[in-house]
Amino acid sequence: MRPLVPPPIRLRGLRGTVVGAEYSLEAGRTFTLGRRPDCDVPLDAESDSFASGYHARLEILADGRVVLVDLASRNGTWTGPDDALVRISGPVTLNPGDTFTLGNGGPVFRVEACGDSLGDLDTEAIPRTQVAAPNSVGQGQRLFEAEVRRSTRGLKAGLAALVLILAGLGTAFYYWNQATQAAAAQREADLKAALDTALDAQSKQLSSRLAATQSDLDAARKDIGVTRSELEGARLDLASTSGRLTEVQLELANAEGATKKTLEAQVKALESLRLDSQAKLDRTEAAVARITEKEKAAEAIAHRFEKSLFMLIAVQRDGTLEGFCTAFTVDVAGVLATNAHCIEVVEQARSQGLSVVARMNRRSDRTFRVTRFRKHDAYDGSAFSDDVALVEIDLKGETLPIAAKLAAWIDLVGLGPGQPIYTMGFPGKVMNPEAPSADLRAAVISRITTFGNSAGLPGDNRMVWHSALTSKGTSGSPIFNAAGEVVAINNGVLSARRVFVPDEHGRPKEDVAYDANGLNFGVRADALDELIEQGF
């Protein structure tokens, strides 16, 4: 009898640039699949964009089994048909007829056997039971009965052994299950205790931070209304008081009697007034210094992040450009952040056969085609949800100059009314897609709520209301804190209203008008951080 030989295996491309292609999979070898040219199954670097450079590996074992392994690809490796895809998290054995996909929506392959799995068996070498021919019918009957008895005894013994094995396995499974449940209950109790401890520590840290923030806010409120003109007035008051004090002191040196007493009283009063004027001047100078620091923060943010801003533009069939939203860089490899409702405009433009590009602020020569996008899974189409999205642009091998940094979670849950913020975007009717120039606005946070417009737990308060004057086009703008970190993504304004304006042929066209005095709001940046972790 010859040893069993595994049937030859091949890989067939079903979708993508490899459709119809066949690859012979030899036992004992490993095959890599990806967009890198040195892969054993190379994909097209441009067209097969869902696949990574080194996306997956096929290991063909000596017994003919095919094992699929994902190589930490960006979009994952999936098995099964398109309507029931499952993303693999470890090695998976494939059988002939099984399919797998490189990236959800990417190239599809099927594993096939080239021939019958029993085709190489030597059927002549298979041993057969030898039975002597009986001399008579009676002798044959006796031989048959004896053979039946022997077979029955063997079957009974086998069944008894099987019953004992099954009973042992059942007992072992019972005790294993009991031990597993006890261990799971202990792990759950330990985890709950650890979470309670961590939450308690985090709550104390947050309470301390909020108390310090409230103290700073109270101090800042005392200085509201301080201006440079008041500083100049304080200086003049101090100079006038000091001058008058000097004059009275000179008169006092030559005075006598009642006049001297009167002048001494005036000197005492003027000295008290001088000290009050000096204290007022010191407070005024400190307040002006804080205002100056805020102005410096705004200037630094505008200068540092101006090249992280992009205008999203729909290119019409006649070549005209129509800007509609703001986006900003979160990865210099070509990933931008914006609002999910802006992606709805992108989808509508593409359905009409139009292309969408992203053009850098103050750099019209740096315009890139939008290739992919993804909305937050919790976005439900309304403004009161996680209205954030990612956009991928085709850099053609370039790298963007700077990416905005998201604020840490502890800073996000510490946001509160009165804190200064700065937003940069391309507002409404002054949007110029030919030469984008972003607008910087300084403002303060007015309140923090849940999407249900109520006060909730720190982790649930994702709606950041602010006083910045925003309008159509600033959707997707980053909202920075004084440290230059993104704390929210500007979303909308409640003063939006539908209007009808004439189109190029004079016919009425529905549009949205935005008033500058509405209630402006954004989505807190931790929603964007969740989306970045998920990727495309």
Side-chain angles (χ1 to χ4, degrees), residues 110 117 134 162 182 209 225 240 248 303 347 356 375 390 404 406 438 440 521 527-528:
R110 181 173 62 212
S117 61
L162 180 60
R209 187 180 182 89
S240 174
V248 173
H303 177 71
E347 292 171 331
V356 178
K375 307 172 190 174
L390 293 179
L406 303 188
L440 173 70
F521 56 89
L528 179 58

Side-chain angles (χ1 to χ4, degrees), residues 233-243 273-279 281:
R235 287 173 177 164
L236 291 174
D237 287 344
L238 179 59
S240 174
T241 302
S242 299
L273 182 59
R274 187 189 69 81
L275 292 175
D276 290 343
S277 298
Q278 183 65 55
L281 178 61

Side-chain angles (χ1 to χ4, degrees), residues 292-305 422 440:
T292 304
E293 285 300 315
K294 292 180 182 179
E295 291 175 348
K296 289 180 179 178
E299 183 179 352
I301 290 171
H303 177 71
R304 182 180 180 190
F305 294 107
Y422 309 88
L440 173 70

Side-chain angles (χ1 to χ4, degrees), residues 38-105:
D38 56 338
C39 288
D40 298 294
V41 182
L43 305 173
D44 187 271
E46 293 292 333
S47 301
D48 296 317
S49 59
F50 284 90
S52 299
Y54 296 108
H55 195 106
R57 179 176 71 240
L58 288 175
E59 299 175 358
I60 317 304
L61 306 184
D63 58 3
R65 285 182 298 159
V66 180
V67 178
L68 175 64
V69 180
D70 182 74
L71 300 179
S73 63
R74 183 173 187 177
N75 295 315
T77 302
W78 306 70
T79 58
D82 283 343
D83 58 350
L85 286 176
V86 177
R87 185 169 185 168
I88 68 173
S89 58
V92 174
T93 300
L94 301 177
N95 297 313
D98 288 346
T99 61
F100 63 92
T101 305
L102 304 184
N104 194 349

Side-chain angles (χ1 to χ4, degrees), residues 498-512:
R498 296 191 178 276
V499 297
F500 290 90
V501 296
D503 61 12
E504 62 272 15
H505 303 295
R507 295 189 294 265
K509 179 181 70 172
E510 187 178 22
D511 200 356
V512 180

Side-chain angles (χ1 to χ4, degrees), residues 174-322:
Y174 171 78
Y175 287 109
W176 173 85
N177 187 50
Q178 291 292 105
T180 301
Q181 289 181 353
Q186 184 61 44
R187 284 196 301 270
E188 183 177 354
D190 293 343
L191 179 60
K192 184 177 184 302
L195 285 175
D196 288 342
T197 301
L199 286 173
D200 183 59
Q202 191 176 73
S203 176
K204 290 179 180 178
Q205 182 182 11
L206 180 60
S207 297
S208 175
R209 187 180 182 89
L210 289 176
T213 301
Q214 186 62 46
S215 177
D216 292 342
L217 179 60
D218 291 341
R221 283 173 175 164
K222 294 178 181 177
D223 295 324
I224 290 176
V226 174
T227 63
R228 286 183 173 83
S229 61
E230 291 176 332
L231 174 62
E232 187 63 26
R235 287 173 177 164
L236 291 174
D237 287 344
L238 179 59
S240 174
T241 302
S242 299
R244 177 58 183 156
L245 178 60
T246 301
E247 293 175 358
V248 173
Q249 286 174 336
L250 290 175
E251 293 177 8
L252 179 62
N254 300 317
E256 294 180 356
T259 302
K260 184 175 182 179
K261 291 182 178 181
T262 301
L263 291 176
E264 285 175 346
Q266 289 183 13
V267 167
K268 187 176 181 179
L270 287 171
E271 180 63 24
S272 176
L273 182 59
R274 187 189 69 81
L275 292 175
D276 290 343
S277 298
Q278 183 65 55
K280 180 180 178 182
L281 178 61
D282 292 341
R283 290 195 302 270
T284 306
E285 286 180 337
V288 170
R290 284 194 293 271
I291 294 173
T292 304
E293 285 300 315
K294 292 180 182 179
E295 291 175 348
K296 289 180 179 178
E299 183 179 352
I301 290 171
H303 177 71
R304 182 180 180 190
F305 294 107
E306 66 173 2
K307 291 181 181 175
S308 71
L309 296 179
F310 285 81
M311 182 186 294
L312 296 180
I313 301 171
V315 183
Q316 305 298 320
R317 289 188 177 86
D318 59 0
T320 57
L321 305 178
E322 183 176 338

Side-chain angles (χ1 to χ4, degrees), residues 109-193:
F109 295 89
R110 181 173 62 212
V111 176
E112 299 179 348
C114 296
D116 186 353
S117 61
L118 297 177
D120 292 323
L121 288 178
D122 186 354
T123 57
E124 295 300 325
I126 299 177
R128 292 173 171 80
T129 303
Q130 302 297 320
V131 181
N135 292 328
S136 66
V137 175
Q139 183 182 6
Q141 180 68 26
R142 287 193 297 275
L143 289 172
F144 175 76
E145 291 174 353
E147 184 69 24
V148 168
R149 285 194 296 273
R150 284 195 298 273
S151 300
T152 302
R153 285 196 298 272
L155 178 61
K156 289 180 178 178
L159 288 174
L162 180 60
V163 169
L164 290 174
I165 291 172
L166 290 175
L169 287 175
T171 302
F173 175 77
Y174 171 78
Y175 287 109
W176 173 85
N177 187 50
Q178 291 292 105
T180 301
Q181 289 181 353
Q186 184 61 44
R187 284 196 301 270
E188 183 177 354
D190 293 343
L191 179 60
K192 184 177 184 302

